[in-house]
């Protein structure tokens, strides 16, 4: 039989020694090929009050944490300047909480100076790829886009005569 999805099987193994004493042991075997998921609608981008430095906090929630076999254990993070799947992660191995009120959640503070995508300003995308306990790799999922802008704000005044003076 070829297993094509997460399946649980029970088996009993009996060990017998040279004296003829036997001991049975019940085992549960889980075969898991299901990809772990993340919920792209639960990815949180830093808000405007959190953008005063090069360090930014990102957080989110995993997909189906009730399904023990395909719940994410770790995630990779990548950033791109286009809505195209990334080719590699910039931050790898972020652990996903597995217990309590925070089950399925993750967070990471990322320094943009260390990520090549942020050498230019403009529209950026946050991508997440989950991995489960058995090593199954999920698909890249993206958040909504956000704008990376390092420019200082400018202000100008228009006088009563219609002349514009930069501040």
């Amino acid at each position: 039989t070829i297993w094509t999805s997460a399946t649980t099987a029970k088996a009993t193994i009996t060990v017998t020694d040279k004296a003829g004493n036997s001991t049975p042991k019940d085992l549960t075997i889980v075969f898991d090929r299901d990809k772990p998921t993340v919920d792209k609608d639960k990815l949180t981008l830093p808000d405007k009050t959190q953008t005063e430095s090069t360090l930014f906090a990102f957080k989110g929630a995993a997909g189906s944490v009730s399904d023990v076999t395909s719940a994410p254990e770790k995630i990779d993070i990548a950033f791109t300047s286009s809505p195209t799947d990334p080719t590699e992660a910039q931050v790898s191995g972020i652990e996903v909480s597995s217990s309590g009120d925070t089950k399925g959640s993750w967070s990471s503070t990322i320094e943009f100076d260390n990520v090549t995508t942020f050498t230019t300003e403009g529209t950026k995308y946050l991508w997440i790829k989950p991995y489960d306990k058995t090593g199954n790799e999920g698909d890249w999922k993206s958040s909504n886009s956000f704008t990376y802008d390092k420019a200082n704000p400018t202000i100008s005044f228009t006088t009563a005569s219609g002349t514009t003076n930069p501040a």
Side-chain angles (χ1 to χ4, degrees), residues 69-139:
T69 60
S70 63
E73 179 183 48
K74 293 186 177 187
I75 61 164
D76 287 350
I77 294 179
F79 295 94
T80 63
S81 296
S82 71
T84 306
D85 286 7
T87 55
E88 65 181 339
Q90 282 109 3
V91 182
S92 298
I94 298 168
E95 293 196 19
V96 176
S97 174
S98 61
S99 63
D101 292 341
T102 60
K103 183 175 184 177
S105 65
W106 59 270
S107 65
S108 181
T109 300
I110 299 166
E111 185 169 6
F112 282 177
D113 285 351
N114 296 331
V115 179
T116 57
T117 303
F118 295 100
T119 56
T120 60
E121 298 179 46
T123 301
K124 308 298 178 187
Y125 297 84
L126 166 67
W127 294 86
I128 305 296
K129 179 184 272 193
Y131 299 85
D132 66 15
K133 291 181 182 182
T134 59
N136 293 322
E137 183 177 305
D139 297 321

Side-chain angles (χ1 to χ4, degrees), residues 3-19:
W3 294 358
T4 58
S5 65
T7 304
T8 303
K10 296 195 180 269
T12 301
I13 297 176
T14 303
V15 177
T16 305
D17 64 15
K18 290 182 181 182

